[in-house]
Amino acid sequence: MLTNRFGPAAAILAGLIAVTLCARALPVKPMSAQAFGAAPAASSFSASQAMANVEALAQSPRPIASAANTEAREYLLARLRALGLDPQVQRATVQRNVVDRYGHAHVTLAVVNNVLVHLPGTAPGYARQGAVLLATRYDSGAQSVGASAAAPAAALLESLRVLRAGPPLNLDLICLFADGEQIGDFGSRGFAEQHPWARQVGVVLKFDSHASRGPVLLTDTSGASGEALRAWAEAAPRPLGSSFMRSVVGLGPMPLSIGPLGGLGVAGLQFANVEGNTGRSGALDTVGRLDIDTVQDMGDTMLATVRRFAEAPIAAGAERVYFNLPGVGLVHYPVTMVWPLTRLACLMFAALACLTWRRERVMPATVAAGAAAYGAIAALMALAAWILWQIAPLILPVQPDYAPLRLGSGVGEGWYLLGFVALASGVFILLRRAIAARVGASGAALGALFCMLVLLVVVSAWQLAASYILVWPLMAAMAAFATRYAPGAQQLGKHYQLAVRLAGLLPGAILAVPLLRHLYTVFTPEYLMLPIAVLAMLLALGTTLLTLLRRRYVVRVLAAASLGCMAMAGTARPYGDAPPPKPNRLVYYTDTGSADAWWLLPPGRLDGWSKRFFPDALAPRVPSEVLGVDARETWIARAPRHQVDFPRMLVTSYRNDNRERHIGLLLQSKSAAPSIEVRLQGAGTNRVTLGDRVLSDARTVSWGLTMYGMRDESLNFKFDIDTGPIVRFKVEEKIQGLPAVGADDAPGTIPLTATTIVADSLRFD
């Protein structure tokens, strides 16, 4: 009888969760006439005009220092001048050093070309003190046309058109179209460290995108005071975001952080959309998959936020915890409240443990056993999700070559997520019954809550801004559990118990379920365990509610639902009859040390086009004769020699004083290669300089350098390295395209994604 009473409530709760996970985050809005080709209104943002800018920018990959990158920059300059603006190009050399704990060092040196625009404010007194910096980027990865990456830049162009047509702003507005962001925020770093306008900035608004759809979220902050958060919440059409995403987004593949601009010491907010993952290499990041509603939302948010923050200066402040609460709006409080709330949760658990010991004699050892069991359940849930991930491509009935791209790339993602949720929930309920049978229902519930309490303490110490996702649901769950011991509670009936336990789970569902979808989109497939961890947390918080779930058919229904969801996801045909273009991963490799050239291709099935380059290859192998014994397996075959320009390498000085070697080296790219890699093999370094620039001045075990945009400059290196029997300098130039005519026009591939690598080396015995 109890299960029958529980059934409708459970169905309602499950339906709400399913709708939250699967529903499109952007509402369907009627398109205005301008979306169908009419002239855009002067006072409103036109998504169709912005999409035209996206199409112009995203014709081909535009990585830093490439010809397509230059074309994109010229397009931006032309559009800005057409608006009556006076843009400038900041050319800066930016350096970043990374040294791991073992002393392996890698230096990245890049010449960036940032596009900047300055719109003076009109308010007296502070017009030029505390300018608003509106930052985007215009480059892309080397394997993708980067439509979503172009969307913020396109939205900024359109926003500038609207701003120019409207009344002037009070504060100065500085617009930054950053270059080199794909390789590690180099354009932002160059502006923050070297441009004089950086000292005028009073607030940073950065817009980014690594996904094809979804609403614009606040994904990161720096020095965002309560005043800054309130200003954003008041101005944005739909202020969405949470400090939880800010805390965990750096763990995943999307660099959705405010980056070097956060070092300006002012209030900074980073915005991005995260739904509709574009695949591991960005192959799905096409103009056709970019949602026009997302572009509209980005433009509306950009305009409203800029206008609000340009009214008057907003000072930076201490970081805050913030999240959206339905019906309330943005909730935020200082991070100094995190530990008091955590201590309160610990006191509540201690009181609850004492209460259960007095009423039911639940011993601490029983709670510990329940907690250990729940840790094992979480691990088994992750294992079940991983197994489902492995078998999912086997049930996809269409376009099997694109099965790896489909998973976690916005293709049927709602169905995939529901499949994972159903499977993990079934595993959780099944194993929870075994725990409850062994330690009792109260012991099992307290064990789960104790696991969440330990996790809360860890999160509060490690990621303060993410603590809200645990502390409020945990306190609500403990309060709901404690009501069972309230005087007269047993006489109020089963419906009262059900209502109270649903109320105890409601804060967790409100806060965690929306994040579950975002985490799945951002972190799948590389970091599938993060969304599973949030789901495990939500189920553990609802363990007292699950004590009412006694029928065994529930697990069977969840298992069937999981398979059904995966099957539904597999029937989706988002690409139509023609699959999206893939990156051409073919590599032409040649070096001066041999008379050979090679075709290289990562492992995978050879199609009809690629098979002609590897006619006699039976399987991928380690190309030890080309890349060394430490290389990964790849398809390899000899290639004809084509006319290529090898790098110029000259030894300008050499001295060995028995303690270290001092080597001068001149390097010049005859082909003006966009990317050059230098690796020192056989010795560590003590100091390396390039002209007057110090690349590294500490002892390293190994040393490497990647350079972008050096063109055909003469690069004079000086190395102070350890003595050793053999020292080798290896240089590789990477160039877009292939030297063989017709070799890089593979059908169904993204243009300019094949690569030519020209190598040279010097050896000192």
Side-chain angles (χ1 to χ4, degrees):
M1 295 295 295
L2 183 59
T3 305
N4 292 336
R5 292 172 182 167
F6 174 75
I12 293 173
L13 181 62
L16 289 174
I17 293 176
V19 169
T20 304
L21 292 176
C22 289
R24 290 180 58 86
L26 284 174
V28 177
K29 297 177 292 186
M31 297 298 293
S32 61
Q34 61 187 354
F36 295 94
S43 60
S44 61
F45 184 92
S46 169
S48 60
Q49 184 64 39
M51 286 295 292
N53 292 328
V54 171
E55 292 178 358
L57 291 170
Q59 295 182 4
S60 63
R62 51 192 186 283
I64 180 175
S66 65
N69 181 277
T70 302
E71 293 175 1
R73 181 166 61 255
E74 292 299 326
Y75 177 82
L76 292 175
L77 293 171
R79 291 290 300 159
L80 292 169
R81 290 174 183 136
L83 293 174
L85 299 169
D86 183 23
Q88 66 169 247
V89 177
Q90 177 203 13
R91 182 176 172 86
T93 302
V94 186
Q95 178 179 336
R96 185 181 66 182
N97 290 32
V98 177
V99 183
D100 65 17
R101 66 180 66 181
Y102 304 107
H104 302 288
H106 190 88
V107 181
T108 305
L109 198 63
V111 177
V112 298
N113 292 273
N114 295 328
V115 176
L116 290 159
V117 173
H118 187 193
L119 278 70
T122 60
Y126 56 75
R128 287 165 179 81
Q129 299 176 15
V132 176
L133 174 64
L134 183 53
T136 64
R137 63 171 178 146
Y138 69 88
D139 65 314
S140 75
Q143 300 292 303
S144 168
V145 298
S148 65
L156 179 49
L157 285 175
E158 175 61 11
S159 297
L160 284 171
R161 180 192 67 80
V162 177
L163 290 173
R164 292 283 287 174
L169 304 174
N170 287 346
L171 298 181
D172 287 12
L173 176 63
I174 299 173
C175 298
L176 167 65
F177 298 85
D179 184 20
E181 296 293 277
Q182 184 70 27
I183 61 172
D185 297 328
F186 273 68
S188 299
R189 187 184 301 272
F191 173 80
E193 295 177 350
Q194 303 179 33
H195 202 283
W197 289 356
R199 295 189 292 272
Q200 303 175 19
V201 173
V203 65
V204 174
L205 303 175
K206 183 181 178 184
F207 283 79
D208 207 342
S209 173
H210 290 262
S212 59
R213 57 184 174 82
V216 174
L217 309 175
L218 180 61
T219 58
D220 192 21
T221 62
S222 175
S225 60
E227 182 185 5
L229 290 174
R230 283 192 296 272
W232 162 65
E234 293 169 359
R238 289 179 304 112
L240 301 175
S242 72
S243 54
F244 179 86
M245 288 295 292
R246 184 190 78 196
S247 295
V248 303
V249 77
L251 303 175
M254 286 187 181
L256 296 178
S257 67
I258 201 166
L261 297 178
L264 294 176
V266 300
L269 291 84
Q270 154 85 15
F271 303 93
N273 61 296
V274 300
E275 294 186 16
N277 198 308
T278 54
R280 294 183 181 182
S281 63
L284 301 181
D285 194 4
T286 61
V287 177
R289 294 189 74 246
L290 182 61
D291 192 346
I292 192 171
D293 287 334
T294 293
V295 177
Q296 183 71 49
D297 187 52
M298 183 171 294
D300 292 340
T301 303
M302 187 179 292
L303 276 172
T305 308
V306 166
R307 284 169 171 160
R308 174 63 181 84
F309 279 84
E311 290 178 357
I314 293 180
E319 292 295 333
R320 301 177 73 86
V321 177
Y322 60 91
F323 54 90
N324 296 108
L325 198 60
V328 177
L330 184 71
V331 177
H332 59 93
Y333 51 86
V335 293
T336 53
M337 289 184 58
V338 169
W339 273 108
L341 290 171
T342 300
R343 295 188 184 99
L344 177 60
C346 292
L347 290 175
M348 289 181 63
F349 182 83
L352 186 60
C354 292
L355 188 60
T356 53
W357 179 79
R358 290 182 58 187
R359 297 295 183 89
E360 300 183 36
R361 297 298 177 186
V362 177
M363 305 300 292
T366 303
V367 177
Y374 271 96
I377 286 181
L380 287 173
M381 286 175 59
L383 178 62
W386 181 82
I387 292 174
L388 183 59
W389 186 265
Q390 299 302 312
I391 67 174
L394 301 178
I395 66 173
L396 298 178
V398 295
Q399 300 173 357
D401 290 346
Y402 277 78
L405 293 178
R406 294 170 64 93
L407 297 174
S409 60
V411 182
E413 91 185 356
W415 287 112
Y416 280 120
L417 179 54
L418 281 179
F420 286 129
V421 169
L423 178 66
S425 300
V427 172
F428 184 92
I429 293 172
L430 188 65
L431 296 178
R432 188 210 162 277
R433 288 175 182 162
I435 296 174
R438 190 172 185 86
V439 302
S442 296
L446 281 178
L449 294 176
F450 181 74
C451 283
M452 295 301 100
L453 185 66
V454 172
L455 183 59
L456 171 62
V457 173
V458 173
V459 171
S460 297
W462 178 50
Q463 292 288 348
L464 293 173
S467 61
Y468 81 88
I469 194 66
L470 280 164
V471 66
W472 299 110
L474 180 58
M475 289 195 293
M478 289 190 293
F481 185 83
T483 56
R484 62 187 297 188
Y485 301 114
Q490 299 299 323
Q491 285 72 39
L492 293 178
K494 304 298 184 181
H495 288 293
Y496 166 80
Q497 297 181 37
L498 176 61
V500 169
R501 297 184 191 187
L502 280 173
L505 181 59
L506 191 59
I510 290 175
L511 295 178
V513 171
L515 287 176
L516 186 59
R517 180 185 178 97
H518 293 151
L519 287 174
Y520 177 84
T521 304
V522 173
F523 294 101
T524 304
E526 291 89 348
Y527 301 88
L528 177 62
M529 301 314 164
L530 276 172
I532 294 301
V534 173
L535 177 60
M537 178 204 77
L538 184 60
L539 291 171
L541 292 172
T543 185
T544 57
L545 180 65
L546 293 175
T547 58
L548 302 176
L549 200 59
R550 303 182 185 278
R551 294 290 181 88
R552 295 186 177 275
Y553 71 81
V554 174
V555 175
R556 299 170 187 170
V557 169
L558 287 172
S562 176
L563 293 177
C565 289
M566 300 303 291
M568 289 297 295
T571 60
R573 297 183 62 91
Y575 308 131
D577 295 329
K582 299 181 293 185
N584 186 349
R585 299 182 295 170
L586 186 65
V587 174
Y588 178 83
Y589 187 97
T590 183
D591 63 78
T592 59
S594 68
D596 296 320
W598 305 86
W599 296 117
L600 304 174
L601 189 68
R605 193 181 68 175
L606 297 177
D607 56 21
W609 181 86
S610 58
K611 182 67 176 176
R612 63 190 179 105
F613 296 94
F614 307 92
D616 301 323
L618 300 178
R621 64 177 179 84
V622 175
S624 56
E625 67 273 42
V626 180
L627 303 179
V629 295
D630 296 331
R632 298 180 179 180
E633 288 189 346
T634 184
W635 292 101
I636 180 171
R638 292 187 181 275
R641 291 296 294 259
H642 295 278
Q643 182 64 40
V644 294
D645 292 322
F646 289 95
R648 180 189 180 199
M649 295 181 65
L650 294 176
V651 178
T652 58
S653 63
Y654 179 83
R655 180 169 58 88
N656 189 346
D657 59 11
N658 296 324
R659 291 183 305 173
E660 61 180 10
R661 299 185 187 188
H662 307 274
I663 300 175
L665 184 66
L666 173 65
L667 175 62
Q668 184 180 29
S669 174
K670 296 180 181 179
S671 58
S675 173
I676 305 173
E677 292 190 5
V678 180
R679 293 193 297 273
L680 177 62
Q681 301 171 338
T685 65
N686 297 316
R687 181 180 173 86
V688 183
T689 61
L690 173 58
D692 296 330
R693 177 184 292 272
V694 177
L695 297 181
S696 61
D697 58 0
R699 178 174 174 77
T700 66
V701 174
S702 66
W703 190 88
L705 168 68
T706 302
M707 297 179 290
Y708 298 94
M710 296 302 169
R711 302 177 184 264
D712 56 354
E713 297 180 20
S714 296
L715 307 174
N716 290 284
F717 293 91
K718 289 186 178 179
F719 293 87
D720 297 338
I721 64 177
D722 296 334
T723 59
I726 298 176
V727 177
R728 185 187 183 200
F729 292 93
K730 186 170 184 179
V731 177
E732 290 184 350
E733 296 182 351
K734 295 185 177 180
I735 306 168
Q736 285 182 297
L738 301 173
V741 177
D744 57 350
D745 60 351
T749 59
I750 301 171
L752 297 177
T753 50
T755 308
T756 295
I757 299 180
V758 181
D760 198 358
S761 61
L762 284 175
R763 173 172 167 163
F764 296 85
D765 295 330

